[in-house]
Amino acid sequence: MGGIGAVLALVDSGSPLRGPFTLFFLLAAPAGAIAAALRGLEPFGRTVASVAGAVVVNMLVTQGMLAVHQWSVPGGIVAVTSISALILLLVLLRRLRGRTTRRRTD
């Protein structure tokens, strides 16, 4: 659903589902990446922290784009997607490195 919202916003569709799906994407993408990084927390705390982190990521992207006078909806979606992908990539790299270290010590 989130991916569909991102695509609808990037192609500038006139669909009435564009707004809700895009909003879902802008909350779910960074929240999912942050939740993956907070694997050790209890489920409720992890959910609250990841949603709060998603709101912070969205606000920082918006502030940064407005500060440099480059605000655009597609640009914001690309920026949030890039930051979310980077967070997820760092989490995956950390887990792979941790597995490699454990295997060597066994």
Side-chain angles (χ1 to χ4, degrees), residues 1-14:
M1 186 166 93
I4 293 170
V7 170
L8 287 175
L10 289 174
V11 298
D12 201 25
S13 172

Side-chain angles (χ1 to χ4, degrees), residues 7 20 38 51 57 59 76 94 99 102:
V7 170
L38 300 175
V51 170
V57 167
M59 290 176 63
R94 186 182 71 192
R99 286 185 185 150
R102 280 189 223 125

Side-chain angles (χ1 to χ4, degrees), residues 62-79:
T62 304
Q63 262 188 330
M65 292 180 77
L66 287 173
V68 295
H69 303 290
Q70 295 297 319
W71 171 250
S72 70
V73 172
I77 291 172
V78 169

Side-chain angles (χ1 to χ4, degrees), residues 15-39:
S15 171
L17 297 176
R18 175 184 166 189
F21 283 6
T22 303
L23 180 62
F24 179 77
F25 172 77
L26 288 173
L27 286 175
I34 293 170
L38 300 175
R39 191 168 77 172

